[in-house]
Amino acid sequence: MLKSYYEILKIHPNATKNEIKSQYKKLVKMYHPDINQSIEAEEIFKEINRAAEILLDDTKRKNYDSLRAQNK
């Protein structure tokens, strides 16, 4: 099953780029390994970065959304 990048970033699938960027910044501040010393913080931080990379790129987001629609 495909991980939901929208769930990782805690945003709605219709979120705008500005909403994605804003939420990304909030989550990075919470889970950055230099700030958050918990064991899972580094893994969550990586997932947040990957989700933002996909959702902030128009082509990658379109492809991702197509895959999500096929897997429903």
Side-chain angles (χ1 to χ4, degrees):
M1 186 164 139
L2 199 59
K3 273 190 180 176
S4 174
Y5 293 137
Y6 296 105
E7 288 178 19
I8 290 169
L9 293 179
K10 300 176 175 115
I11 57 172
H12 191 273
N14 294 331
T16 65
K17 277 191 177 186
N18 285 337
E19 291 169 330
I20 295 169
K21 287 177 189 177
S22 175
Q23 184 65 7
Y24 168 75
K25 289 177 184 178
K26 286 179 192 175
L27 292 172
V28 164
K29 287 178 184 176
M30 287 175 52
Y31 291 103
H32 193 285
D34 289 345
I35 297 168
N36 188 329
Q37 301 298 315
S38 69
I39 296 169
E40 62 275 345
E42 185 175 351
E43 190 59 38
I44 294 169
F45 182 74
K46 289 177 184 177
E47 288 181 345
I48 291 166
N49 281 308
R50 179 71 178 146
E53 175 189 337
I54 298 298
L55 298 180
L56 289 171
D57 180 290
D58 292 334
T59 303
K60 290 179 182 178
R61 185 175 183 179
K62 182 179 177 184
N63 291 338
Y64 172 72
D65 287 340
S66 293
L67 282 174
R68 283 183 73 229
Q70 291 174 7
N71 289 325
K72 281 191 175 184

